[in-house]
């Protein structure tokens, strides 16, 4: 049986079942894009017709369960969106889950963006989604989301909201890459997480973390990211919103840096917010619900011009 046009992921297809298991209202799904099978999670709205659709793109080192946090009630974006009447789909990025065997040469930002843009077409057609979708990205997933917005010529996107990605790193990427034998090593406590009291007690239990063993990131892209963003930012025209956790030690976020980041997006609005009670993994901590509610508010703001056009209301 398919779910909204998607085929549920048979558990026997994966040698490593998803951990943790999806939460309430959330189901495992797969969608095929050409010869690539993308696994992921979907949450259908409580009411029959979705008000709008969200596509959430996770970062490196995790799978789609990042947006379905199980370490405390109320933190899951997918669950919250479903309860609020939205259709929310979090695909496992290319190279994760069902597509884990993809050759690393096919895992560039552009490759992943193109695959996911095609997947959105299937997502919309098989679920009766007439309108555009909001992208929500985290960390590397937000980089992918910005790349998708720069490439999208088919008007698929309402906007891009996200956290945990910026312009310049606060870490020395080249030094960390040399130490890590190809990929940078991060001080998880100080740079990724921040203080313990930002998270539920269970947040760092391995069985409750949405971990992905494979890299699903092309080597060397971190060092070239600032120049890549500068080269593509002017092509983005949909509304953007960016949030940094105050305790995110990976990205520079001083006032001058945030002005530089905002000024890159010359053809759209881009408010930037600092969440005082968040780290890099914003959707896994106590601040997740507050952040996700703001995501839904941004979605409603992005919907207003479309609603006005459909109803002939003046802009």
């Amino acid at each position: 049986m398919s779910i909204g046009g998607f085929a549920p992921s048979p558990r026997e297809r994966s040698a490593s079942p998803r951990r943790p298991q999806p939460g309430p209202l959330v189901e495992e799904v797969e969608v095929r894009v050409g010869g690539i099978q993308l696994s992921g999670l979907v949450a259908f709205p409580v009411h029959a017709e979705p008000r709008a659709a969200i596509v959430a793109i996770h970062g490196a080192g995790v799978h789609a369960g990042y947006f379905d946090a199980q370490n405390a009630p109320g933190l899951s974006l997918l669950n919250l969106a479903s309860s609020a009447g939205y259709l929310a789909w979090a695909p496992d990025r290319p190279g994760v889950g069902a597509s884990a065997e993809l050759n690393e040469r096919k895992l560039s930002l552009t490759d992943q963006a193109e695959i996911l843009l095609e997947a959105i077409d299937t997502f919309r057609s098989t679920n009766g989604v007439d309108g555009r979708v909001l992208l929500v990205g985290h960390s590397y997933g937000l980089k992918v989301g910005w790349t998708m917005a720069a490439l999208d010529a088919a008007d698929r996107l309402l906007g891009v909201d996200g956290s945990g990605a910026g312009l310049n790193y606060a870490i020395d990427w080249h030094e960390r890459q040399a130490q890590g034998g190809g990929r940078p090593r991060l001080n998880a406590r100080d740079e990724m997480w921040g203080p313990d009291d930002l998270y539920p007690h269970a947040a760092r239990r391995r069985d409750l973390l949405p971990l992905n063993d494979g890299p699903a990131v092309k080597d060397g892209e971190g060092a070239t990211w600032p120049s890549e963003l500068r080269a593509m930012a002017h092509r983005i025209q949909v509304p953007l919103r960016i949030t940094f956790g105050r305790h995110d030690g990976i990205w520079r976020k001083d006032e001058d840096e945030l002005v530089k980041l905002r000024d890159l997006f010359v053809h759209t609005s881009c408010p930037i917010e600092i969440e005082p009670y968040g780290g890099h993994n914003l959707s896994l901590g106590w601040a997740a619900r507050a952040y996700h509610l703001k995501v839904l508010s941004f979605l409603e703001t992005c919907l207003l011009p479309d609603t006005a056009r459909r109803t002939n209301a003046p802009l």
Side-chain angles (χ1 to χ4, degrees):
M1 183 179 72
S2 65
I3 304 173
F6 289 89
S9 306
R11 200 161 301 282
E12 64 268 21
R13 286 189 55 143
S14 173
S16 302
R18 190 183 301 277
R19 294 287 185 267
Q21 295 292 310
L25 307 178
V26 179
E27 304 175 47
E28 293 199 56
V29 294
E30 287 188 357
V31 59
R32 179 171 289 278
V33 183
I36 300 171
Q37 196 81 1
L38 295 179
S39 50
L41 300 172
V42 68
F44 293 96
V46 174
H47 305 294
E49 295 296 325
R51 175 162 178 75
I54 294 170
V55 178
I57 306 169
H58 65 83
V62 295
H63 55 64
Y66 174 83
F67 292 105
D68 186 37
Q70 297 298 304
N71 49 49
L75 304 187
S76 167
L77 171 64
L78 298 182
N79 195 294
L80 177 67
S82 172
S83 299
Y86 305 101
L87 172 59
W89 175 44
D92 290 320
R93 281 193 300 103
V96 177
S99 63
E101 299 305 314
L102 271 180
N103 191 299
E104 185 178 309
R105 288 176 297 177
K106 298 180 180 179
L107 293 178
S108 71
L109 279 167
T110 299
D111 291 333
Q112 296 197 44
E114 290 175 344
I115 292 168
L116 288 167
L117 284 170
E118 289 187 40
I120 286 174
D121 292 335
T122 301
F123 172 79
R124 293 194 302 179
S125 65
T126 56
N127 286 280
V129 176
D130 294 328
R132 297 177 292 165
V133 305
L134 178 73
L135 289 185
V136 180
H138 170 251
S139 193
Y140 190 87
L142 181 52
K143 293 182 182 182
V144 175
W146 287 336
T147 308
M148 292 168 69
L151 292 174
D152 182 28
D155 199 27
R156 301 172 177 93
L157 309 180
L158 281 166
V160 183
D161 197 322
S163 67
L167 175 60
N168 292 302
Y169 293 98
I171 61 175
D172 187 324
W173 188 274
H174 296 282
E175 178 184 345
R176 296 300 179 85
Q177 204 165 22
Q179 294 172 352
R183 293 188 177 88
R185 293 176 180 174
L186 300 177
N187 182 321
R189 172 176 288 277
D190 297 334
E191 294 167 348
M192 296 288 288
W193 291 90
D196 288 343
D197 60 4
L198 299 180
Y199 304 90
H201 291 304
R204 299 193 194 188
R205 279 177 44 187
R206 288 191 66 84
D207 61 326
L208 293 179
L209 286 174
L211 299 176
N212 170 60
D213 293 334
V217 174
K218 194 171 182 179
D219 281 344
E221 281 189 334
T224 61
W225 167 247
S227 60
E228 290 188 38
L229 180 58
R230 289 189 180 98
M232 70 175 167
H234 70 280
R235 303 203 304 269
I236 299 175
Q237 301 193 30
V238 296
L240 307 178
R241 197 179 80 94
I242 305 170
T243 303
F244 290 97
R246 178 173 293 168
H247 301 278
D248 183 340
I250 297 176
W251 295 96
R252 287 183 53 186
K253 50 187 183 296
D254 55 87
E255 185 174 345
D256 288 344
E257 180 71 11
L258 297 186
V259 169
K260 291 178 186 176
L261 175 59
R262 188 183 297 110
D263 287 350
L264 289 178
F265 303 107
V266 294
H267 295 302
T268 187
S269 60
C270 183
I272 301 175
E273 183 173 340
I274 303 296
E275 169 49 58
Y277 299 103
H280 180 72
N281 294 312
L282 192 54
S283 291
L284 300 180
W286 289 122
R289 185 173 178 84
Y291 165 61
H292 294 155
L293 285 168
K294 292 175 184 177
V295 170
L296 299 187
S297 177
F298 178 66
L299 170 54
E300 287 296 326
T301 300
C302 292
L303 284 172
L304 288 174
D306 278 4
T307 302
R309 281 196 294 269
R310 286 197 304 268
T311 60
N312 253 357
L315 291 175

